[in-house]
DNA sequence: GAAAATTTATGATTTACCTCAAATTTAGGT
DNA sequence: ACCTAAATTTGAGGTAAATCATAAATTTTC
């Protein structure tokens, strides 16, 4: 167990003292979530930080029935960091879109680590900033591009950042994809079909294969 | 000069050692910008962090001729923090929308402070996270609300967060406001006029007075 | 393994918003 | 003070995308 934690967190520490490791181990619980289960709810107390060890999580905001997926989180990343030193409230919900395994860590412990391990603090700032860059890209995609460009961006993101393959079983439903692209489900379906007919991607149900990255990039660029 | 710097940075440090203060003083230049001048350009090297001491700055992204204003920065805040431990490249441009005075600080110094002053590191993380919350709000406003809701959000933001008054001389041009709300200039103008006619705000050129916060909030809520 | 619920799919209609065009006002430069 | 450029304003027309309606296919539930 301790070995597993040590391994999962390895990328986050150059040097993790015995004391720090044991503090993590003692103030953490390991949890499993099924597809569709909710990990945290927008507005709830952010007393803990989630570390995704296995699976896939969607982080989303709720507003008048409609959801917007802010980020798809893959293993090795934290969820809830943005609540640290903030309001202590989750400003988004998180749900599992696959069977997922997480460590839930007391926020106080993460703060302790930030104070006592400057290497960790730097890496946390690095991750926060990487997320921010990603949010900027999403803001541009969502606000400046039309449907085709947004779907192209989503497919490129899924293929390159999330699944790291040109062929993948996209666990997102059509509705999730629409919520990720800020459009209606019908529009997402229509454009996916268009892309399939135009041989930009090959889609069979949830299975997706990217045929032409250049075309997707072009669609992303022209918006 | 040193006293001024000490005073400007006071909110960022509980305890700033002599050595740390002198490091800041030695590795900083004070700059003045006129209205319209550009402080940093998207894609440029992020070798320094900007601290806004006086004035008002817009941080924006450029994409195919069109700009989207990500954030209006007021005195006391840093610009460029999100480039730290990231790619070392500014992923946005920044321009002065009023006469502004800034300190330009070597990014390496900020990193040094993060490593050697955990209090500062915590506050930086706090600011980053506050920014992120703000970006989430903006993503929701820009993608889920229609024109009226977005303009209402912008006015509420300007009034409450930026100018902290119900009456203010909005230095943003109509185009800036449109770029902040992700809409065409014409639409921004039309809705502003509507709000004026409906006695929600009183607008005379750049001068703006909020008459009814409840109505603005209602518009923001319904989208 | 049937029933219920959700997801996917497609066509028709509506609308919110952009683009275009042209006039007027304001601001900047010499 | 004049000239030029930029910003503001208003109207008309076009369109991208949402909504509505309805059906088929898939998944979930008991």
């Amino acid at each position: 167990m301790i070995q597993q934690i040590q391994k999962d967190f390895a990328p986050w520490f150059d040097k993790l003292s015995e004391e720090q490791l044991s503090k993590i181990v003692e103030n953490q619980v390991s949890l499993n979530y099924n597809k569709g289960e909710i990990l945290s709810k927008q507005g709830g107390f952010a007393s803990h930080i989630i570390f995704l060890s296995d699976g896939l999580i969607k982080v989303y905001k709720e507003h008048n029935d409609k959801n917007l997926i802010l980020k798809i989180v893959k293993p090795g990343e934290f969820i809830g960091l943005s609540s640290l030193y903030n309001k202590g409230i989750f400003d988004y919900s998180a749900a599992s879109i696959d069977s997922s395994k997480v460590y839930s860590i007391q926020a106080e412990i993460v703060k302790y680590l930030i104070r006592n391990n400057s290497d960790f603090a730097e890496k946390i700032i690095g991750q926060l900033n990487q997320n921010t860059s990603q949010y900027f890209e999403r803001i541009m995609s969502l606000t400046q591009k039309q449907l085709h460009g947004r779907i192209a961006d989503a497919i490129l993101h899924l293929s390159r950042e999330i699944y790291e393959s040109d062929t993948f079983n996209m666990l997102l439903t059509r509705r999730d994809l629409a919520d990720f692209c800020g459009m209606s489900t019908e529009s997402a379906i229509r454009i996916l079909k268009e892309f399939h007919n135009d041989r930009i991607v090959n889609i069979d149900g949830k299975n997706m294969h990217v045929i032409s990255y250049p075309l997707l990039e072009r669609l992303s660029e022209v918006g």
Side-chain angles (χ1 to χ4, degrees), chain A:
Chain A
M1 176 58 155
I2 295 179
Q3 282 76 33
Q4 186 59 42
I5 290 177
Q6 209 160 15
K7 191 176 152 216
D8 281 333
F9 286 118
W12 289 92
F13 300 94
D14 266 0
K15 41 190 187 309
L16 182 64
S17 74
E18 276 300 321
E19 188 197 351
Q20 288 166 357
L21 175 61
S22 69
K23 261 203 195 286
I24 296 175
V25 172
E26 284 160 22
N27 292 281
Q28 143 285 338
V29 286
S30 183
L31 300 170
N32 290 296
Y33 289 95
N34 292 322
K35 194 171 172 172
E37 289 185 327
I38 289 175
L39 288 84
S40 73
K41 195 73 178 157
Q42 184 175 331
F45 290 113
S47 53
H48 57 281
I49 305 293
I50 295 162
F51 178 84
L52 181 58
S53 162
D54 205 36
L56 211 57
I57 307 282
K58 64 174 173 181
V59 162
Y60 60 101
K61 268 212 163 240
E62 312 181 39
H63 175 82
N64 298 349
D65 303 338
K66 305 191 72 181
N67 291 344
L68 185 90
I69 296 180
L70 296 169
K71 186 171 163 60
I72 315 275
V73 179
K74 64 175 184 175
E77 287 185 50
F78 289 95
I79 297 164
L81 285 180
S82 68
S83 301
L84 286 174
Y85 310 108
N86 207 348
K87 302 178 296 284
I89 300 282
F90 278 121
D91 37 28
Y92 41 68
S93 298
S96 191
I97 48 182
D98 194 5
S99 300
S100 297
K101 187 188 160 208
V102 310
Y103 301 117
S104 181
I105 307 165
Q106 294 290 326
E108 282 309 318
I109 297 308
V110 179
K111 288 187 188 175
Y112 164 85
L113 291 169
I114 287 169
R115 274 194 300 277
N116 296 96
N117 189 325
S118 64
D119 177 54
F120 179 68
E122 290 185 308
K123 286 185 173 152
I124 289 295
I125 294 175
Q127 155 128 10
L128 290 173
N129 286 343
Q130 217 176 297
N131 287 347
T132 299
S133 293
Q134 211 183 101
Y135 291 131
F136 287 162
E137 285 309 313
R138 282 186 55 55
I139 290 179
M140 292 312 284
S141 179
L142 291 169
T143 65
Q144 307 293 313
K145 302 183 186 179
Q146 39 196 69
L147 303 189
H148 293 80
R150 280 184 253 163
I151 292 282
D153 282 339
I155 295 174
L156 285 171
H157 180 71
L158 287 171
S159 168
R160 288 177 169 161
E161 319 294 336
I162 306 298
Y163 293 104
E164 301 180 46
S165 163
D166 62 350
T167 307
F168 52 91
N169 185 280
M170 164 175 90
L171 294 157
L172 301 177
T173 64
R174 298 292 191 264
R175 181 164 187 208
D176 282 333
L177 184 68
D179 287 346
F180 188 68
C181 295
M183 64 182 65
S184 69
T185 308
E186 294 95 321
S187 290
I189 289 168
R190 266 184 266 263
I191 300 207
L192 237 36
K193 166 140 282 190
E194 258 191 76
F195 282 14
H196 179 81
N197 291 341
D198 295 346
R199 308 208 174 287
I200 299 168
V201 292
N202 204 309
I203 302 171
D204 178 27
K206 290 246 155 56
N207 225 294
M208 160 110 49
H209 169 67
V210 176
I211 298 171
S212 170
Y213 283 101
L215 280 175
L216 285 178
E217 274 159 11
R218 177 134 184 72
L219 283 164
S220 166
E221 182 55 31
V222 300

